[in-house]
Structures are given as structure tokens and as C-alpha cells.
């Protein structure tokens, strides 16, 4: 009995699928004719002197459009459409151009809605996109805005992060500020507890056995996660992006850099008593150390585009321009 | 006589400079006191339990603020200000918090307007920024909007470029489209001239002695420069960003990529008869070829942030999200 029901359902589904396939193939066939007609129309409007995308035998051309529409890669059909629309935009008569472009837009919409259209295969990674606060589509309104900024030395990234926090009226953290905050918070806690020893013993027990650098990293990671639950902020470096990603906390992850030589010149102009040659040497050393640190704690390549949401060349924007670009990309 | 005039002018300038220096130092001194008072105020508002940034002897602290304000690196003074403002934002009384934050903003403004403030040393490269159409500050209204998109295979970059051109109602060019356009334009020209031979001889004379790949590259470069003078467009690859930069034509330069494994999966899902393993192999091969081609014609590293204005990780945005991000960053 159950078998029979299952078989019946199977049959219905099979029929449904068959119907769906037939319908899709009819849509594809009609679309192919529409595309052919559009090409013909554009060709007529531009006069016989201009080339035509589908200039061969009509039956064969329609057949080739159909197979292009059925290809999930979609490369061929997109190019055909592009060529037609590039041509169409050169039609001199304004009304005619508008009417042809409207027709083109409708065809494009239909192509996009095909089950296997070229727009159907997105590159979006749902986990990454879900954690990316710049992706307004997946953004959770209830989350705090957390902006993680990695940057190369001399790129002005720190200035950009600071100015950004100031514009957004949110807190700003970098290595120095975190260290100072820790000191202040520790003093506060000690005053509260009036028991410095218990704190030291607690920290000792928790981070015992770790190298000093590791202990500091884990302590800072905890602080970052704590802050992420309670406030909006900009944080510089600290592998904060990876710490938040690993803990599934949405944030914005930005990397800022500029060409080496431009950074070296800037350092030489900012730092007293440092020549351009010394600046270059210093830069190489600091870049290498940052790279090592990031790989050490994230197992990823520092400054590699695929590890961030967005990367900015600050030499192309300047400090103020970079801040504005970030604000625009946040829709502010 | 002339010497005397020169000396007099020198004297005046010297005096002016001296006056300017004295004025600046007075401003710095007053500012140091204001910063000290702000810290004191925040400390009072938060109660004695919380730490204070300038907790030492007043005279010595003021002195240290002054020297921090005079340091062109500005790292120390910025951190001091950050700590005070981070603290100030935790003041519970709303009116008091607002008043303190206003005071902070005014101090920040004054610090920024100092001749050697931390905001005075920009990273902006005037040549790069002047060619960057995303940098709205330096944008020339009269220029055509040209968007150059470099992308890794499988990143969805092509789909993003195509959708972007469609949204902006401007032309779209990639390798295939350019080749087809060339063919069509050639046919058009030949029909006009009714002289195919003269065209062939012209091309032969112009590109004679070049390898086929090089000849094609230079031919395409010319086409890109020609188009840049007459229309808005999106162009994929073709080292178009470098061709335009070398010819001082403003444009937007974007690179799109996504993590290797996510790209491989996408290719395997799009292409018929390609396994994930084959997709990985294909990706590596195509990435290497793109890298070689880019280095060959630009002497730069393909996909290195510092060679573009902006880089996007498409896995964090998806195709539609990336298009929207680019539109937002263009202020559209």
C-alpha cells in the first residue's frame, strides 16, 4: 500500500518535472526568437553598413541561441546580448533607441529568470556573507557595528580608522589603546575588589603555560569578544577579523595599504631623523613581522584580498577620501 | 640695492615665521591645558573608581602633552585623546556625556588644525588620486565613467561587471566582446572603404615585427583609449587600468576575487563534466596564466591591492551585493 502511494507521488513529481522542463524549453525557444528579432531590429535601425550578431541562416542561428541559453555557463549568450546592446546604444534616433533598449532589458530579465541562467550561479558564500556587515542584504539590524581594519605600516590606516571612529561617534581601539584600557580596567577592578592578588592568581591560572605573546593574544581576544557584545567600535589589527569570524560575530573586515615607495616616503616625512633609506628598511622589517604574526594566529596570508571583505589602496584616496569611501560603502 | 631688498624681505619673512611659531606654541600650550581639563572632567564624572589618563603631577603631564602635540608622528597624542573619549562615552548622564563629547570634538578639531598635526601627513598620492574616479574629491565632472575590473577566474567578477554595466546603462567590454566588436567594426570599415586590402596593409605596417599576442595587445590598447574618449563603459581585464593610467585617463580600478576553494566549487557547479579536482587544477592553471600576462604587460603583480583603487572579496557579497557595493562606493 505504502509502496503504491510512493509510486503515485513519484509519478506526479515526474509529470511535474516533465511539465516544468517542457515549459522551460518553450520559454527558451520563444526567447531565442525574441533575441533574434532584437538583433534584426538593431541591424535595421543602424543601416546595412553595420555588422550584425546573428548574420547566418535564421534556423541555424535560432538553434545556436537555444543551445547558448541552455548552457549553465552562460558565457556565450551573455556576450551575444552584450554585443547587441552595445550596438543598440549607438542608435541615433532617441525614441527608437529607448524602445529597443526597453525590449533588450525585458529580454535580459527573462534570460536571468531561466532556471539555469548565467546569473543563477552566485559566488556568495553564505557563511562569509552572513558575517559581513557591509553586505546590507544579510545584515542583522540588532548587531553592533564592528569595523576591523588591518593595515600596512605607513599606509595611513591608523589615521583612517581613527577618523572613521570619530565620524561614527564610536570607540576606537588599537594595540596601545587596548593595553592602556586594560591597565585602566584592571586598576578599576582592583579598586573594586580591593584584592589585587586574586586577579593575578586568576590570570595566572588561566594563561599559565602560554608564551607571553600568546597569553596576551588570548587575553586581548577575550576583551574584543566582550566588547563586541556591548558596543560599536573600530578596531585596528589584533587579528580581530578572524577572532570575530571564528566566533560567528558579524563585522566589517577592511584591509588598507598603499604602494611600498609611497609608504616609505610618508614615514620618512613623519618620523624625525629617519632617512628614506632607513624608512624602506624599517618598512620591510615591520611588514615581515606583521605577516608572521597574522599567519601565526590565523594560518592565513596577511593582506591577501580573499581574507577580507574589502581592500583599499589609501594612496588613491588619501585619509579623508578613504574614510568617505568606507562610509559610502556602509551606506552612511 | 637688490640685495638690500632681498634682505628686507628675508627679515620680514623671518619675523612672520617667528610670529607664526610663537602663536602656534601658544595654541599648543592652551590646547594642552584644555586636554588636561577634559581628562579631569571625565574622571570626575565617572567617579573616583575609574582610572585617569593623566594621573601624574599636573606640571609634568602638561609638559608631556605639549611634546606629544609637537610630535609630527602624532601617535601618542591620538592615543591619549582616544582613551579620554572612549571613557567619556561611558558617562551615564546623557546631558553631561553630550557636553563632554562636544568639548572633545572641539579639542580634536583644534589638534587637527595644528601645522604638524597627525592628520597633516596624508598618504594620498596626487597622481594616483587624480586618476581615481572613486575619489570624489578629485573627480573631473567632464570625464567619462570608466570602470576597469580585474578578476580571478570563478570569482563571479565577469557577472558583476556585466550586471554593473547593465545597472549603469553603459557599454560592457571583455575579451570576447572586444574581439567580436573588432570584427564587426572591421567589416563596417571594409564596407565603407570597399578596400579590404588597404586595411590589411595598414595593420601589417603598424604591427609588423610584433609577436601575435603583443600585436593584439597593442591593437586592443588603442581601441580602449579610443573608447575612453567617447563613452562610459565597464571593461574586464585587458590590463585596461594600466593602459589608462599610463595615458593619464581617470578611471575606477577594481579587482574582484574570492577564496580559491569557493571559486573551485563554483566552477565545478557551472561547468558540465568538470569535477571539483579538475576545477582546482584548471583554476591554478588559469590564475598562473593571468598572473604571467599581467606581469608581462604591466611589470606589476596581478591581484596585489596596491595596484588597484579597491579590491572586493565577492564571496562576502555575492554578485548582486558586489554590484550594489560598487554603486554605493561610486555614490550612486
Amino acid at each position: 500500500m505504502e509502496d503504491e502511494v510512493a509510486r503515485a507521488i513519484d509519478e506526479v513529481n515526474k509529470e511535474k518535472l516533465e511539465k516544468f522542463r517542457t515549459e522551460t524549453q518553450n520559454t527558451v525557444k520563444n526567447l531565442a526568437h525574441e533575441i533574434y528579432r532584437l538583433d534584426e531590429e538593431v541591424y535595421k535601425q543602424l543601416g546595412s553598413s553595420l555588422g550584425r550578431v546573428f548574420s547566418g541562416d535564421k534556423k541555424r542561428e535560432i538553434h545556436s541561441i537555444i543551445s547558448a541559453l541552455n548552457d549553465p555557463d552562460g558565457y556565450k549568450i551573455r556576450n551575444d546580448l552584450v554585443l547587441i546592446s552595445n550596438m543598440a546604444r549607438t542608435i541615433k534616433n532617441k525614441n527608437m533607441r529607448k524602445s529597443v533598449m526597453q525590449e533588450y532589458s525585458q529580454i535580459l530579465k527573462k534570460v536571468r529568470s531561466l532556471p539555469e541562467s548565467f546569473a543563477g550561479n552566485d559566488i556568495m558564500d553564505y557563511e562569509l556573507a552572513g558575517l559581513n556587515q557591509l553586505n546590507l542584504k544579510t545584515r542583522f539590524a540588532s548587531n553592533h557595528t564592528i569595523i576591523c581594519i588591518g593595515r600596512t605600516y605607513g599606509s595611513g590606516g591608523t589615521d583612517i580608522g581613527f577618523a572613521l571612529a570619530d565620524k561614527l561617534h564610536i570607540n576606537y581601539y588599537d594595540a596601545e589603546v587596548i593595553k592602556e584600557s586594560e591597565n585602566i580596567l584592571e586598576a578599576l577592578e582592583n579598586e573594586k575588589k580591593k584584592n589585587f592578588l586574586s586577579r593575578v592568581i586568576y590570570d595566572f591560572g588561566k594563561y599559565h603555560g602560554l608564551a607571553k605573546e600568546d597569553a596576551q593574544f588570548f587575553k586581548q581576544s577575550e576583551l574584543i569578544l566582550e566588547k563586541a557584545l556591548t558596543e560599536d567600535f573600530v578596531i585596528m589589527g589584533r587579528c580581530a577579523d578572524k577572532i570575530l569570524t571564528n566566533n560567528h560575530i558579524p563585522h566589517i573586515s577592511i584591509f588598507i595599504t598603499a604602494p611600498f615607495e609611497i609608504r616609505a616616503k610618508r614615514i620618512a616625512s613623519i618620523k624625525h631623523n629617519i632617512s628614506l633609506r632607513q624608512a624602506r628598511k624599517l618598512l620591510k622589517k615591520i611588514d615581515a613581522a606583521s605577516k608572521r604574526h597574522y599567519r601565526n594566529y590565523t594560518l592565513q596570508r596577511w593582506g591577501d584580498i580573499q581574507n577580507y571583505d574589502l581592500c583599499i589602496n589609501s594612496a588613491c584616496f588619501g585619509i579623508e577620501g578613504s574614510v568617505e569611501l568606507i562610509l559610502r560603502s556602509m551606506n552612511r
Side-chain angles (χ1 to χ4, degrees), chain A:
Chain A
M1 188 63 188
E2 265 180 30
D3 261 18
E4 263 175 59
V5 172
R7 229 172 289 143
I9 290 173
D10 257 11
E11 201 58 42
V12 171
N13 279 341
K14 227 178 179 176
E15 255 174 58
K16 265 191 194 160
L17 191 65
E18 203 53 53
K19 201 182 152 205
F20 176 72
R21 274 191 189 136
T22 315
E23 272 173 10
T24 303
Q25 274 318 304
N26 282 336
T27 313
V28 164
K29 213 169 149 188
N30 290 337
L31 250 175
H33 280 276
E34 281 182 52
I35 292 169
Y36 185 85
R37 274 201 301 274
L38 181 71
D39 182 42
E40 200 172 38
E41 181 64 33
V42 171
Y43 166 72
K44 267 185 202 154
Q45 287 303 325
L46 289 171
S48 64
S49 63
L50 200 66
R52 184 174 169 176
V53 180
F54 303 115
S55 52
D57 170 63
K58 183 173 173 179
K59 211 174 156 184
R60 216 181 311 151
E61 291 287 18
I62 294 272
H63 185 78
S64 102
I65 300 173
I66 289 176
S67 68
L69 281 167
N70 280 324
D71 184 354
D73 191 11
Y75 197 73
K76 171 96 181 55
I77 190 67
R78 182 172 49 211
N79 277 341
D80 288 342
L81 288 169
V82 160
L83 283 168
I84 297 173
S85 77
N86 283 3
M87 289 290 164
R89 282 196 196 88
T90 66
I91 295 175
K92 292 246 160 60
N93 182 314
K94 207 181 158 188
N95 288 332
M96 189 46 76
R97 188 173 67 235
K98 207 178 154 189
S99 133
V100 167
M101 285 311 292
Q102 267 171 355
E103 210 176 315
Y104 165 74
S105 289
Q106 266 164 13
I107 289 177
L108 197 59
K109 214 182 254 173
K110 284 182 203 165
V111 172
R112 283 228 170 92
S113 67
L114 287 179
E116 285 197 284
S117 98
F118 56 78
N121 287 289
D122 206 332
I123 183 70
M124 180 145 72
D125 180 89
Y126 288 94
E127 211 184 317
L128 289 177
L131 293 176
N132 170 18
Q133 290 191 323
L134 276 181
N135 196 2
L136 302 187
K137 302 242 149 186
T138 58
R139 188 171 181 179
F140 299 97
S142 62
N143 285 117
H144 287 283
T145 300
I146 304 167
I147 305 170
C148 305
I149 300 184
R151 79 290 195 202
T152 53
Y153 189 60
S155 68
T158 311
D159 303 82
I160 293 165
F162 178 67
L164 184 66
D166 186 49
K167 281 242 166 156
L168 291 168
H169 301 294
I170 63 180
N171 278 346
Y172 166 89
Y173 298 106
D174 62 15
E176 293 280 313
V177 174
I178 287 180
K179 216 174 122 198
E180 281 297 314
S181 299
E182 275 179 334
N183 290 345
I184 292 174
L185 286 172
E186 201 162 301
L188 162 68
E189 211 136 301
N190 292 337
E191 201 174 303
K192 263 188 188 161
K193 287 187 185 167
K194 300 280 180 209
N195 188 349
F196 182 70
L197 204 64
S198 77
R199 177 82 188 172
V200 170
I201 290 171
Y202 170 75
D203 276 0
F204 180 80
K206 201 164 180 189
Y207 302 113
H208 182 59
L210 293 174
K212 198 183 156 199
E213 207 193 340
D214 290 344
Q216 198 199 18
F217 179 78
F218 289 115
K219 212 170 157 184
Q220 288 191 355
S221 301
E222 272 187 23
L223 193 80
I224 291 167
L225 291 172
E226 219 170 88
K227 297 250 174 241
L229 296 176
T230 54
E231 54 170 277
D232 298 356
F233 58 90
V234 170
I235 181 160
M236 310 303 297
R238 313 294 93 213
C239 309
D241 49 342
K242 288 306 145 203
I243 294 165
L244 292 167
T245 296
N246 292 343
N247 288 276
H248 309 287
I249 298 174
H251 58 281
I252 294 169
S253 164
I254 297 175
F255 191 82
I256 298 171
T257 190
F260 183 87
E261 203 52 30
I262 297 175
R263 291 192 284 138
K265 272 182 199 149
R266 180 163 178 265
I267 290 165
S269 85
I270 289 177
K271 299 272 177 196
H272 282 316
N273 308 321
I274 284 193
S275 70
L276 185 58
R277 235 183 101 197
Q278 286 169 318
R280 283 196 199 106
K281 225 171 139 183
L282 182 69
L283 249 191
K284 268 184 197 160
K285 216 172 126 183
I286 295 181
D287 277 358
S290 303
K291 205 171 165 178
R292 229 181 300 122
H293 182 265
Y294 195 81
R295 180 180 289 285
N296 216 358
Y297 290 109
T298 69
L299 302 176
Q300 294 187 327
R301 227 179 77 205
W302 181 67
D304 186 348
I305 304 168
Q306 62 175 20
N307 299 329
Y308 309 88
D309 300 330
L310 197 68
C311 302
I312 298 172
N313 183 349
S314 53
C316 300
F317 292 94
I319 290 167
E320 217 187 313
S322 299
V323 172
E324 271 175 32
L325 176 77
I326 295 171
L327 291 173
R328 285 204 302 274
S329 70
M330 292 171 70
N331 220 6
R332 301 269 182 140

